[in-house]
Amino acid sequence: MNKIIIALCVILACNVMTSHAQNDSKDKDSKGKDKEKTTLSVPANPHNPKNPTLAELQKPDESELSQANTDLLAKNAELQSRVDELTTQVNVLVNERSGQMFFYGAMSVLAGLFVGIGSVWFIVNKNKSDW
């Protein structure tokens, strides 16, 4: 997170510096003075060997890494248990759906059986009756 903030600050500072340089050149052009563009001078070696580098400044110590590792392991265990719970719920829903389809199939067979028995009974009794 700190690295992102530092990178954004560096980008913002570069944008501010270039906008100031562009504004200065516009002022010079509008006054009729020097019409040459101003450029930012970049030193040949921007890093002073005596100053710590950005990586050295942001180097976390052992306790911070250990704490972050512990937090991430706890979060990982929590998420893994949530995944296991959701997998169990999916399996239950699939089994319920297949049980429901089996029940509907059994009811359809019973309804067909009753319709068949009823139609045979009516056909047999129709022949016996004197309509």
Side-chain angles (χ1 to χ4, degrees):
M1 182 72 173
N2 290 336
K3 292 178 184 179
I4 294 172
I5 293 171
I6 291 172
L8 289 174
C9 289
V10 169
I11 291 170
L12 180 62
C14 290
N15 287 339
V16 168
M17 290 172 62
T18 56
S19 68
H20 283 295
Q22 289 173 353
N23 287 340
D24 289 343
S25 67
K26 287 179 184 176
D27 288 342
K28 286 181 183 179
D29 289 342
S30 65
K31 292 179 183 178
K33 294 182 181 177
D34 290 330
K35 290 192 176 186
E36 66 183 44
K37 293 184 179 179
T38 59
T39 60
L40 296 175
S41 62
V42 178
N45 187 3
H47 300 291
N48 185 353
K50 295 179 183 177
N51 292 339
T53 62
L54 185 61
E56 291 171 347
L57 289 174
Q58 292 187 348
K59 182 179 179 185
D61 61 348
E62 194 68 30
S63 64
E64 289 176 347
L65 288 176
S66 178
Q67 179 64 32
N69 190 26
T70 304
D71 293 342
L72 289 174
L73 286 173
K75 182 77 170 177
N76 188 19
E78 178 184 332
L79 291 174
Q80 186 62 42
S81 68
R82 181 72 176 143
V83 165
D84 292 341
E85 178 185 325
L86 290 174
T87 303
T88 303
Q89 286 180 359
V90 166
N91 289 336
V92 166
L93 290 173
V94 166
N95 289 336
E96 280 182 5
R97 183 69 179 162
S98 64
Q100 187 179 18
M101 296 307 285
F102 178 77
F103 178 74
Y104 289 157
M107 289 295 118
S108 298
V109 167
L110 285 176
L113 186 64
F114 286 135
V115 168
I117 290 173
S119 61
V120 168
W121 184 74
F122 281 123
I123 291 172
V124 169
N125 284 339
K126 184 178 178 184
N127 291 339
K128 291 181 182 181
S129 68
D130 292 332
W131 269 28

